[in-house]
Amino acid sequence: MSSPDPQVRAARNQSTNPAARGPVVAVTGAASGVGAMLTERLAASEEIKQVIALDERRGECEAAQWHILDVRDPAIAEKLRGADVVVHLALDLDLETDPAARTAYNVRGTQTVLTAAAAVGVHRVVLCTSAMVYGALPDNELPLSEDAELRATAEATGVGDLLEIERLARRAPRAHPGLNVTVVRPAVLVGGGTDTALTRYFESPRLLVVAGSRPAWQFCHLEDLCSALEYAVLEKVDGELAVGCDGWLEQEEIEELSGIRRMELPSAVALGAAARLHRIGLTPSPAGDLAYTMYPWVVSGSRLHDAGWRPKWTNEEVLAELLEEVAGRHTVAGRRLGRKDATAAGAAGATVALLGAAAVVRRARKARRRI
């Protein structure tokens, strides 16, 4: 069934009968990615009175009321006035962003949104982090419950920021009595062109497998994340929520479904090469990202399930969409390759490319020392 015409949705959101409608919802980061998808979904919902969209540029949803600003600007408080719920999705987890600038934006933005929401009487803020905050560890239970300890470290891309956002979420109700905070933690996100170290893993000519590791893959499609966020907005569920497809895929299943063969390396070689390449700036992914391809961090999603939510996508279906999205891209050690590099990598294999890059670095260093 097609979505209502944007003008029809806009008229409905401006209904003069507010008693028959649900909450006013503000969405930050509403112009792209999951923010854009959620904004469209909420604007089309009969259970939502009005959608306030905030971003640094205007998005395509005509049914929303748009405000253009940086979420770190304290002026955001006035833009949130009248909202019942705020969904904060304005996060920068781009692999190419300077880490210090990324942290400054993510942490300061979350602090500002929480403070502003409390100041104007918003009663609920929904934050989105990642199931990565649980950490990828060899002794993780399969699956993890929402109450599992957050054992991640700041060694992977953006995870330090997400852990700080989790701390802000836990402190906010104490600092601002009356403000409820819900945190949603998705598994490996796929859809809408999502670009992360974990999606780039499937752009490699070979799937790097660290000897002795026990990967378990669980995905989350953006559509399922949006439906889970809508559950939180409508207060059908609250607290700390994990979201993903039911179950998981073993590495052997991933290889069979993708048709991409593995390349197995000793742990010391893989981690050492990844660390060196990142340290000298040849790859955007720190060595810590590799842990999430080595050990399980699968979540149960029991709280959402208990509330009646179910994912529409399976792990197999999401993997198929991911493979379609990354088709034609070529990545080694997290770095996108040009066409010539990709041809060489395809012929030589990812291991040769990874170790070859490390060898080039060593030769360059020796040459500099001789000068």
Side-chain angles (χ1 to χ4, degrees):
M1 182 180 297
S2 61
S3 298
D5 181 88
Q7 292 184 342
V8 174
R9 293 201 306 265
R12 190 180 64 214
N13 276 344
Q14 295 169 4
S15 168
T16 56
N17 183 20
R21 302 193 49 76
V24 174
V25 183
V27 180
T28 70
S32 61
V34 64
M37 189 178 292
L38 180 66
T39 299
E40 288 282 1
R41 183 185 183 98
L42 295 179
S45 172
E46 295 286 352
E47 297 182 86
I48 302 299
K49 179 179 180 181
Q50 184 183 16
V51 179
I52 301 170
L54 304 103
D55 210 320
E56 293 180 49
R57 64 178 179 85
R58 186 183 177 88
E60 296 180 0
C61 181
E62 296 296 332
Q65 176 185 333
W66 284 92
H67 296 290
I68 312 304
L69 81 170
D70 187 314
V71 291
R72 294 170 292 182
D73 186 342
I76 196 172
E78 282 306 309
K79 311 304 181 185
L80 298 180
R81 190 175 297 279
D84 302 296
V85 183
V86 175
V87 186
H88 178 47
L89 299 172
L91 294 178
D92 180 3
L93 297 175
D94 192 310
L95 290 170
E96 311 298 339
T97 302
D98 174 73
R102 182 173 57 217
T103 296
Y105 180 81
N106 291 338
V107 176
R108 181 60 180 169
T110 303
Q111 288 174 325
T112 303
V113 168
L114 287 168
T115 301
V120 297
V122 172
H123 78 267
R124 178 177 298 273
V125 174
V126 180
L127 302 176
C128 186
T129 61
S130 168
M132 293 176 78
V133 296
Y134 291 108
L137 300 159
D139 62 343
N140 273 349
E141 293 184 358
L142 274 169
L144 292 160
S145 73
E146 278 96 344
D147 292 328
E149 182 183 355
L150 306 188
R151 298 196 289 165
T153 65
E155 295 173 357
T157 303
V159 173
D161 296 356
L162 299 180
L163 289 170
E164 182 57 31
I165 290 170
E166 293 273 353
R167 284 189 282 270
L168 291 171
R170 292 185 178 183
R171 288 199 295 262
R174 297 195 297 270
H176 308 290
L179 180 66
N180 297 300
V181 179
T182 297
V183 180
V184 180
R185 301 166 180 157
V188 180
L189 271 178
V190 174
T194 302
D195 179 26
T196 67
L198 294 168
T199 59
R200 288 192 184 188
Y201 178 81
F202 294 92
E203 299 177 14
S204 299
R206 296 287 186 271
L207 297 178
L208 176 61
V209 176
V210 177
S213 65
R214 184 173 62 99
W217 289 89
Q218 181 187 36
F219 300 100
C220 178
H221 196 278
L222 254 63
E223 289 181 358
D224 283 337
L225 174 57
C226 284
S227 69
L229 289 168
E230 185 177 19
Y231 258 62
V233 163
L234 296 173
E235 300 185 26
K236 296 179 181 180
V237 63
D238 58 14
E240 297 167 344
L241 314 173
V243 56
C245 298
D246 290 336
W248 62 89
L249 297 173
E250 303 287 352
Q251 184 69 25
E252 291 76 14
E253 294 176 287
I254 290 287
E255 292 164 20
E256 181 179 353
L257 290 167
S258 68
I260 308 174
R261 290 181 291 172
R262 73 166 60 195
M263 253 191 325
E264 194 163 310
L265 287 178
S267 175
V269 174
L271 292 170
R276 287 193 297 273
L277 294 174
H278 181 66
R279 188 165 57 248
I280 64 172
L282 285 183
T283 62
S285 300
D289 286 342
L290 201 54
Y292 290 90
T293 70
M294 294 171 60
Y295 303 117
W297 47 292
V298 172
V299 291
S300 69
S302 59
R303 287 187 180 140
L304 278 163
H305 280 241
D306 290 346
W309 178 90
R310 293 292 183 275
K312 291 185 177 179
W313 291 74
T314 66
N315 282 303
E316 291 84 354
E317 290 169 341
V318 179
L319 176 60
E321 175 155 322
L322 172 57
L323 293 171
E324 286 185 14
E325 285 193 358
V326 304
R329 299 177 190 164
H330 302 278
T331 294
V332 169
R335 182 175 70 89
R336 289 252 172 87
L337 303 179
R339 185 170 297 177
K340 291 182 179 179
D341 289 335
T343 301
T351 300
V352 174
L354 179 67
L355 300 180
V360 169
V361 172
R362 289 196 295 272
R363 286 198 297 271
R365 286 176 175 169
K366 289 179 181 178
R368 285 197 298 269
R369 285 197 293 267
R370 287 197 296 267
I371 295 174

